[in-house]
């Protein structure tokens, strides 16, 4: 167990420690394992001298917009796939499973053309639209599997009592499936937070970049300010770790979302 | 907007359980499509159409910098990539990359899942902490490792020299022969916890009694793994394998952020090749052709999975 912890966590601890080091320590001129003093200059430089705060805001905006759209659409679609019998249900399911396997790079060319056509290149709205495509299939798949685990009997009772189908879904089937919603939402946020390929391709101006592209662009061709970069990496990681800490008990369900049903 | 439409529609139509009269059943089918409508519009508009567009682009001469200059050239793009040695090199790297990722991630993921499943003190903490590499954004993972593996100022090489292990430490990502093993190792490191979490879900679904019965019957750890655990987590294993293949073949970040396919194409996979064709040499047609070939391969794997796993469970809907 300890070995596993060291392997999986060690590099992060070292990087986090290093983000408090000064340049000579980072370049290996001074060879100390721990930082000599808690130097916070890397963090203040990051906020004062780089566009990091802008990237941060952009990432938040894009992640929240994408997740909100995905969840609403996925709840409806997942419910329909889990509950209704209709022609094409299995075919639809098969396509959704297959969509999870879509190479992002296959989509990059046509999406570039479409965004260019819609004049949405270099726009955050365009990016949200694109992100919905890759996050939605997974969210639908997860919501369907969650709705399948909710017993149908209570809903039938609600329907007999005169509830409309939508009310039955909203008030009866959805609450027990809320862990699924939270898990799908978290997964969505994390994916958007992490996404690099599209953000790198479709966004040109520095002030519209998201964190992943922005941070990567700070890695210089010849000289790299590792201190600032590591500080940025630490800050970019914190929200994701918080989300996962909250979702700890749903974790196996997130990953196992596809196993169920 | 879409939500209120559906709501109104839902309120108008009678609540129809599955075994209604024919008229009701029709209303029922209509209703289900209403729930699906927003998803379908989005998926067809921004997923279905682009796929067709990609197929079409692969049959055209299409250059990024010349938006109106597309012209139909049939299979010319495919002939060009199949005649290009860079394509075969990238294909080989893709197979190697996916196979190595699959093998190491499943084996190590299984080991890690068993560790996570042990009833020991601090299990919850252990579980939450070993998944960190999977959780941390790829860009951050890349920059941390690029720092650690930096040939001159990186701490790893500094330590190798300082401890006298090597006077001429490897260049890691900058060397043709070490770059591929290093990116594979880093990808395995990042994704093994994810595989472990999927397999853990499988392990948790095995009833405790099975272990006890096997132990009473005198089965050792190896036999328990072989006869109790593995058969019972078949679905999890199949899912983990499918996802691992899909994610690694499509993994752009895991290579691009470290080496951009270099040095000298040593880590170029079909994914990075397609990206480079599209956005470095502006050959959209060629890029689309490479991507279509890649997708066709994945489509076959994923459909086979669907029929093997989902199909077997029969009717549930």
């Amino acid at each position: 167990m300890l070995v596993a912890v060291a392997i999986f966590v060690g590099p992060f601890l070292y990087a986090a420690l290093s983000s408090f080091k000064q340049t000579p320590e980072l370049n290996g001129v001074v060879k100390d394992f721990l930082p000599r003093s808690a130097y916070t200059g890397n963090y203040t430089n990051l906020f004062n001298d780089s566009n990091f705060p802008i990237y941060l805001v952009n990432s938040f905006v894009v992640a929240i917009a994408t997740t909100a759209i995905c969840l609403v659409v996925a709840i409806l679609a997942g419910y329909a796939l889990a509950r209704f019998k209709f022609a094409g249900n299995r075919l639809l399911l098969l396509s959704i499973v297959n969509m999870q396997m879509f190479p992002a790079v296959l989509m990059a060319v046509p999406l570039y053309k479409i965004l260019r056509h819609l004049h949405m290149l270099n726009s955050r709205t365009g990016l949200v639209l694109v992100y919905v495509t890759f996050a939605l299939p997974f969210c639908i798949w997860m919501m369907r599997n969650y709705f399948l685990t909710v017993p149908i009997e209570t809903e039938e009772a609600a329907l007999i009592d005169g509830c409309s189908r939508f009310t039955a879904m909203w008030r009866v089937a959805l609450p027990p499936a809320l862990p699924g919603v939270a898990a799908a939402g978290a997964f969505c946020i994390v994916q958007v937070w992490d996404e690099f390929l599209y953000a790198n391709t479709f966004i040109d101006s520095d002030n519209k970049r998201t964190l992943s592209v922005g941070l990567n662009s700070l890695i210089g061709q010849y000289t790299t300010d590792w201190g600032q970069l590591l500080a940025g990496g630490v800050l970019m990681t914190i929200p994701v770790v918080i989300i996962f800490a909250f979702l700890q008990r749903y974790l196996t369900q997130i990953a196992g979302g596809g196993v169920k049903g | 907007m879409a939500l209120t439409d559906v709501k109104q529609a839902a309120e108008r139509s009678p609540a129809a359980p599955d075994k209604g009269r024919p008229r009701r059943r029709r209303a029922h089918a209509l209703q289900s499509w209403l729930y699906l409508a927003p998803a379908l519009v989005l998926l067809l508009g921004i997923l279905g159409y682009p796929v067709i567009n990609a197929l079409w682009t692969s049959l055209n001469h299409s250059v990024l910098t010349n938006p109106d200059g597309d012209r139909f050239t049939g299979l010319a793009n495919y002939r060009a990539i199949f005649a290009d040695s860079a394509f075969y090199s990238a294909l080989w790297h893709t197979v190697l990359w996916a196979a190595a990722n699959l093998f190491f991630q499943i084996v190590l993921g299984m080991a890690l899942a068993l560790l996570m499943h042990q009833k020991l003190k601090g299990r919850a903490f252990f579980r939450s902490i070993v998944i960190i590499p999977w959780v941390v954004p790829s860009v951050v993972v890349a920059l941390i490792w690029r720092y650690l593996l930096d040939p001159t100022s990186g701490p790893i090489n500094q330590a190798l020299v300082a401890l006298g292990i090597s006077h001429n430490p490897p260049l890691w990502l900058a060397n043709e022969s070490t770059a591929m093993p290093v990116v594979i190792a880093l990808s395995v490191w990042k994704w093994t916890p994810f595989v472990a979490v999927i397999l853990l879900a499988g392990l948790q679904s095995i009833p405790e009694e099975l272990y006890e019965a096997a132990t009473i019957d005198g089965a050792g750890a190896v036999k328990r793994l072989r006869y109790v655990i593995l058969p019972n987590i078949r679905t999890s294993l199949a899912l983990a394998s499918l996802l691992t293949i899909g994610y690694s073949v499509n993994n752009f970040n895991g290579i691009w952020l470290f080496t951009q396919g270099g040095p000298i194409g040593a880590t170029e996979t079909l994914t990075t090749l397609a990206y480079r064709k599209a956005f470095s040499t502006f050959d959209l047609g060629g890029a689309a052709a490479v991507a279509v070939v890649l997708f066709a391969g994945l489509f076959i794997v994923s459909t086979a999975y669907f029929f093997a796993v989902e199909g077997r469970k029969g009717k549930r809907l």
Side-chain angles (χ1 to χ4, degrees), chain A residues 102-121 126 129-130 133 197-198 201-202, chain B residues 43-60 62-64 67 70 78 274-275 277-279 282-292 295:
Chain A
F102 269 14
V105 75
L106 171 70
M107 306 298 290
V109 170
L111 286 175
Y112 182 89
K113 284 182 152 185
I114 292 168
L115 289 184
R116 183 168 66 188
H117 188 71
L118 297 172
H119 302 289
M120 284 218 251
L121 275 180
L129 196 64
V130 168
T133 64
L197 197 161
Y198 293 142
T201 314
F202 300 148
Chain B
L43 290 176
L44 286 178
I46 49 182
L47 215 49
Y49 172 70
V51 171
I52 293 170
N53 187 303
L55 285 170
W56 176 244
T57 306
S58 75
L59 300 173
N60 279 268
S62 176
V63 177
L64 183 123
D70 286 19
Y78 290 94
Y275 187 81
K277 271 189 188 296
F279 300 105
F282 303 148
D283 175 12
L284 293 183
V290 173
V292 167
F295 178 59

Side-chain angles (χ1 to χ4, degrees), chain B residues 73-94:
Chain B
T73 51
L75 295 173
N77 286 323
Y78 290 94
R79 274 197 294 273
I81 59 168
F82 285 123
D84 184 0
S85 65
F87 172 80
Y88 292 100
S89 155
L91 179 64
W92 162 240
H93 289 151
T94 307

Side-chain angles (χ1 to χ4, degrees), chain A residues 7 12 31 73 76 84 86 98-99 101-103 107 110 113 116 133 144 165-166 194 201 240 248 259 261, chain B residues 28 31-32 35-36 39 46-47 50-51 57 64 70 128 135 137-138 158 189 250 275 279 295 299 302 316:
Chain A
I7 291 173
F12 292 109
K31 295 183 177 62
V73 176
L76 291 172
F84 297 132
F86 57 91
N98 260 314
M99 281 170 194
M101 304 290 278
F102 269 14
M107 306 298 290
K113 284 182 152 185
R116 183 168 66 188
T133 64
R144 167 195 171 264
R165 189 88 208 194
F166 185 80
D194 188 47
T201 314
V240 188
Q248 184 59 36
V259 190
Chain B
H28 181 69
Q31 197 187 6
S32 63
Y35 278 71
L36 284 165
I46 49 182
L47 215 49
V51 171
T57 306
L64 183 123
D70 286 19
S128 53
V135 169
S138 348
Q158 297 260 345
W189 176 81
N250 291 332
Y275 187 81
F279 300 105
F295 178 59
F299 184 82
S302 145
R316 260 166 323 166

Side-chain angles (χ1 to χ4, degrees), chain A residues 85-254:
Chain A
K85 262 187 195 148
F86 57 91
N89 187 325
R90 283 184 72 75
L91 182 69
L92 206 59
L93 207 56
L94 174 63
S95 354
I96 288 173
V97 175
N98 260 314
M99 281 170 194
Q100 289 185 60
M101 304 290 278
F102 269 14
V105 75
L106 171 70
M107 306 298 290
V109 170
L111 286 175
Y112 182 89
K113 284 182 152 185
I114 292 168
L115 289 184
R116 183 168 66 188
H117 188 71
L118 297 172
H119 302 289
M120 284 218 251
L121 275 180
N122 202 18
S123 110
R124 275 159 294 195
T125 319
L127 205 56
V128 169
L129 196 64
V130 168
Y131 283 171
V132 169
T133 64
F134 78 68
L136 191 57
F138 185 82
C139 289
I140 295 178
W141 178 244
M142 257 182 86
M143 288 319 304
R144 167 195 171 264
N145 288 336
Y146 261 92
F147 280 126
L148 280 178
T149 65
V150 176
I152 201 165
E153 287 76 19
T154 41
E155 256 170 279
E156 277 168 355
L159 290 176
I160 290 166
D161 287 349
C163 264
S164 73
R165 189 88 208 194
F166 185 80
T167 322
M169 179 197 91
W170 190 253
R171 296 205 189 264
V172 182
L174 193 57
L178 274 181
V181 178
F187 207 78
C188 198
I189 292 177
V190 171
Q191 273 186 304
V192 171
W193 201 251
D194 188 47
E195 208 285 328
F196 174 81
L197 197 161
Y198 293 142
N200 189 38
T201 314
F202 300 148
I203 300 287
D204 276 335
S205 12
D206 198 40
N207 61 5
K208 287 178 184 162
R209 278 181 179 160
T210 54
L211 266 181
S212 56
V213 180
L215 202 58
N216 196 57
S217 71
L218 294 180
I219 302 184
Q221 189 92 47
Y222 305 105
T223 55
T224 300
D225 187 341
W226 287 114
Q228 258 189 47
L229 271 173
L230 293 171
V234 168
L235 291 178
M236 183 178 177
T237 307
I238 290 172
V240 188
V241 168
I242 292 175
I243 289 176
F244 270 86
F246 271 118
L247 285 174
Q248 184 59 36
R249 48 202 183 106
Y250 305 127
L251 202 64
T252 51
Q253 294 163 350
I254 298 178

